[in-house]
């Protein structure tokens, strides 16, 4: 893979309100795609890969992969509906186009798997100068934003390095008790490793970083240092679709401010006055350290299209089978209850990636876990977990980067424990004692234990870790 470029010390770190910002909005209702079809709020309009959305002096924005777009609402004109980026005021009240397909990386989650997506709705950006890229987004702090840099494409394979950025957002609902601090601000900076700011761990959702379950929409921006020598940037939202107003660029970093309404009337008819909030204020910016390689635990669940009895919790109907029986599609929420010697036990939400639910366990290399299906809010030893669904038996002494398959849960009998089988993370086969040679892609693949005591796989002189990520070539 070619060297990835990332602007760090080369760009001045100081912010300037006076620095000129070049900003361009994305299409709205009535605008047309390259084929002459108008975007609207009802129809999905096909946009091919590589179609140009924005051509500016300093940058260009394209649709990354063929997908469909339609016009959707942004924000209503309430407490906070405008954002000032340097000398440009961005209006979030106008409807804009949004892609209709979630970005995926080989059917996986780009953030969790840390792989550039190769399909779905996301943006491809090419910059012509060193500086900072601003992506004005309708933000929800429990969504996972991503940015990949230096993207190369070869034989359908998309590669790139996940890089850090600032995620700054202000809710249109306010109050420190409702949506973080101050008065609705969610300001997170994802910092990576080395001068290229490469993220080695997936960027946690902002609500996770701040320790709250914030889900209220707000006006926001991603601030990403960019370099003209990087081939391409791929930017989007995992598990959803990015809802963006437009894109901006400045050669120097600028201040970002949420503009408060001075004459807003609430639902009870009371006049409200909201002050402007500087989201780039270092006093409210929370740093999320993504500079250490992640330790992941993956649980593979059965196929989501099932027979008449759901393997997992509250199934919903999904048509009928050939014999007329009801086909069910399981609705699965997975949580891990994790504990280890000297570490306080905690509930960790799991993110879906392909057939797996993925749990990041920080720096733990050996730990214990119970997988829980359903929303879980607490635990008491004598009562079990507080939820409506199933759990596994205690799984003791899990090594880092482990994979498991969970089966045999009867939705009508929540006291029945699920069966858990350890899997080979690379092949998905049931894990047996010892490290045997395996076949991979028609070539001989050999498992071995590295000097660090971890499991690796070598195939055609390429070394993978236990999750299939390339470590060395």
């Amino acid at each position: 893979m070619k060297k990835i470029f990332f602007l760090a010390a080369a760009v001045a770190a100081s912010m300037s309100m006076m620095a000129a910002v070049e900003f361009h909005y994305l299409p709205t209702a009535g605008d047309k795609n390259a084929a002459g079809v108008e975007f609207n709020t009802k129809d999905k309009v096909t946009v091919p890969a590589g179609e140009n959305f924005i051509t500016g002096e300093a940058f260009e924005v394209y649709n990354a992969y063929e997908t469909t777009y339609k016009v959707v609402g942004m924000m209503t004109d309430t407490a906070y509906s405008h954002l000032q980026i340097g000398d440009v005021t961005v209006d979030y009240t106008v409807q804009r186009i949004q892609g209709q397909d979630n970005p995926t990386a080989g059917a996986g989650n780009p953030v969790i798997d840390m792989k550039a997506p190769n399909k779905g709705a996301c943006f491809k950006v090419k910059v012509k100068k060193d500086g900072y890229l601003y992506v004005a987004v309708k933000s929800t702090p429990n969504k996972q934003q991503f940015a990949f840099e230096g993207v190369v494409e070869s034989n359908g394979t998309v590669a790139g390095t996940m890089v850090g950025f600032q995620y700054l957002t202000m809710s249109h609902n306010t109050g420190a008790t409702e949506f973080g601090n101050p008065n609705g601000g969610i300001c997170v900076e994802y910092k990576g490793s080395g001068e290229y700011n490469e993220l080695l761990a997936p960027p946690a959702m902002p609500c996770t970083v701040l320790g709250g379950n914030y889900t209220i929409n707000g006006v926001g921006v991603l601030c990403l240092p960019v370099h003209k020598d990087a081939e391409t940037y791929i930017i989007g939202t995992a598990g959803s679709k990015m809802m963006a107003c437009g894109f901006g660029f400045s050669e120097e970093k600028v201040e970002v401010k949420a503009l408060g309404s001075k004459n807003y009337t609430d639902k009870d008819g009371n006049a409200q006055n909201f002050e402007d909030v500087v989201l780039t204020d270092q006093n409210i910016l929370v740093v999320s350290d993504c500079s250490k390689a992640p330790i992941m635990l993956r649980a593979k669940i059965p196929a989501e299209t099932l027979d008449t009895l759901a393997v997992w919790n509250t199934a919903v109907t999904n048509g009928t089978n050939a014999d007329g029986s009801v086909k069910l599609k399981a609705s699965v929420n997975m949580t891990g209850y994790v504990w280890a010697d000297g570490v306080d036990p905690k509930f960790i939400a799991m993110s879906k990636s392909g057939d797996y639910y993925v749990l990041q366990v920080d720096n733990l290399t050996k730990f214990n876990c119970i997988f829980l299906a359903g929303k879980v809010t607490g635990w008491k030893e004598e009562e079990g977990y507080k939820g409506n669904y199933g759990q596994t038996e205690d799984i003791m002494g899990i090594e880092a980067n482990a994979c498991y398959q969970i089966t045999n849960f009867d939705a009508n009998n929540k006291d029945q424990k699920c069966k858990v089988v350890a899997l080979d993370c690379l092949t998905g086969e049931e894990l047996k004692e010892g490290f045997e040679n395996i076949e991979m892609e028609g070539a001989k693949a050999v498992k071995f234990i590295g000097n660090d005591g971890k499991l690796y796989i070598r195939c055609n002189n390429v070394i993978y870790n236990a999750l299939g990520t390339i470590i060395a070539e």
Side-chain angles (χ1 to χ4, degrees):
M1 185 182 300
K2 76 181 188 69
K3 181 66 174 178
I4 303 301
F5 295 92
F6 194 91
L7 182 65
V11 173
S14 61
M15 288 183 292
S16 170
M17 271 296 295
M18 303 306 294
V21 174
E22 179 186 352
F23 190 89
H24 300 275
Y25 286 104
L26 288 169
T28 185
D31 292 335
K32 299 178 180 180
N33 68 357
V37 181
E38 283 192 3
F39 293 109
N40 60 74
T41 59
K42 296 181 179 180
D43 303 316
K44 294 182 179 181
V45 176
T46 299
V47 178
E51 180 164 315
N52 177 262
F53 284 139
I54 294 171
T55 299
E57 180 182 343
F59 66 97
E60 298 171 353
V61 179
Y62 301 86
N63 178 44
Y65 311 108
E66 180 173 314
T67 185
T68 57
Y69 283 84
K70 72 176 183 178
V71 176
V72 301
M74 292 290 291
M75 304 295 297
T76 55
D77 191 5
T78 56
Y80 290 96
S81 56
H82 293 71
L83 208 64
Q84 186 171 317
I85 304 174
D87 58 351
V88 173
T89 298
V90 181
D91 182 357
Y92 285 73
T93 65
V94 178
Q95 296 175 320
R96 300 286 170 188
I97 60 169
Q98 181 187 40
Q100 299 300 293
D101 299 309
N102 291 345
T104 58
N109 183 316
V111 173
I112 296 300
D113 295 329
M114 304 187 70
K115 295 180 180 179
N118 56 8
K119 64 183 300 184
C122 45
F123 300 101
K124 179 182 292 187
V125 183
K126 296 183 179 181
V127 297
K128 305 171 186 178
K129 300 178 181 179
D130 295 348
Y132 292 84
L133 186 71
Y134 303 91
V135 188
V137 297
K138 177 181 178 180
S139 57
T140 301
N142 64 350
K143 287 187 177 181
Q144 296 174 293
Q145 316 288 343
F146 61 77
F148 288 87
E149 182 189 62
V151 174
V152 293
E153 300 176 63
S154 177
N155 297 323
T157 299
V158 180
T161 295
M162 182 180 278
V163 291
F165 54 89
Q166 289 181 347
Y167 180 74
L168 314 171
T169 178
M170 171 62 82
S171 168
H172 69 274
N173 287 6
T174 59
T177 59
E178 296 176 8
F179 198 70
N181 285 304
N183 296 328
I186 298 288
C187 306
V188 176
E189 180 172 4
Y190 298 105
K191 285 198 171 181
S193 176
E195 63 176 314
Y196 303 112
N197 202 29
E198 178 181 356
L199 301 189
L200 300 181
M205 291 183 288
C207 63
T208 304
V209 175
L210 297 182
N213 187 25
Y214 310 119
T215 58
I216 305 171
N217 293 338
V219 297
V221 64
L222 274 63
C223 175
L224 172 69
V226 291
H227 198 285
K228 64 181 180 181
D229 289 334
E231 181 177 337
T232 305
Y233 292 86
I234 297 287
I235 297 169
T237 304
S240 185
K241 287 80 63 175
M242 177 171 277
M243 177 72 262
C245 283
F247 290 73
F249 174 88
S250 67
E251 293 189 62
E252 295 181 22
K253 195 172 186 181
V254 300
E255 180 180 87
V256 177
K257 182 188 298 183
L259 302 181
S261 172
K262 300 299 186 285
N263 55 358
Y264 172 63
T265 302
D266 64 20
K267 62 182 180 180
D268 298 321
N270 300 313
Q272 300 287 333
N273 223 344
F274 296 97
E275 298 299 322
D276 298 345
V277 176
V278 177
L279 302 180
T280 45
D281 185 344
Q282 292 296 315
N283 293 323
I284 63 174
L285 192 64
V286 178
V287 175
S288 179
D289 185 359
C290 302
S291 62
K292 296 181 180 179
I295 295 174
M296 312 298 284
L297 174 64
R298 297 191 174 205
K300 188 174 185 180
I301 62 175
E304 288 189 334
T305 300
L306 308 168
D307 294 325
T308 54
L309 181 65
V311 175
W312 297 104
N313 59 60
T314 52
V316 296
T317 58
N318 189 34
T320 57
N321 297 305
D323 61 1
S325 61
V326 176
K327 183 185 296 182
L328 299 178
K329 183 176 182 180
S331 175
V332 187
N333 296 310
M334 290 286 287
T335 299
Y337 181 69
V338 179
W339 72 99
D341 291 342
V343 178
D344 290 335
K346 58 183 176 180
F347 291 100
I348 305 176
M350 303 183 77
S351 300
K352 194 171 189 303
S353 177
D355 293 332
Y356 286 87
Y357 276 77
V358 184
L359 174 75
Q360 185 172 342
V361 288
D362 300 325
N363 298 320
L364 299 177
T365 57
K366 194 168 186 177
F367 53 95
N368 313 302
C369 182
I370 300 176
F371 297 115
L372 303 165
K375 185 176 181 180
V376 183
T377 58
W379 179 281
K380 289 185 179 180
E381 185 174 354
E382 66 278 11
E383 298 177 6
Y385 68 98
K386 296 178 181 178
N388 300 319
Y389 315 123
Q391 68 182 72
T392 66
E393 299 283 0
D394 294 4
I395 308 174
M396 309 298 290
I398 297 175
E399 298 287 347
N401 291 340
C403 293
Y404 290 86
Q405 183 169 31
I406 306 173
T407 57
N408 291 13
F409 176 65
D410 183 345
N412 295 329
N413 180 9
K414 71 175 185 178
D415 294 326
Q416 177 185 347
K417 299 298 193 299
C418 309
K419 178 183 177 183
V420 181
V421 176
L423 301 179
D424 184 298
C425 288
L426 189 63
T427 66
E429 297 177 354
E430 184 173 340
L431 195 62
K432 300 177 181 179
E433 293 186 6
F435 299 96
E436 302 171 350
N437 292 347
I438 59 174
E439 296 290 335
M440 185 175 69
E441 297 179 355
K444 198 72 169 178
V446 179
K447 294 180 181 180
F448 68 98
I449 303 298
N451 294 332
D452 56 1
K454 295 182 179 179
L455 171 66
Y456 294 93
I457 297 93
R458 180 186 292 109
C459 181
N460 289 338
N461 296 321
V462 178
I463 297 176
Y464 304 81
N465 67 10
L467 295 178
T469 302
I470 294 177
I471 301 300
E473 294 185 78

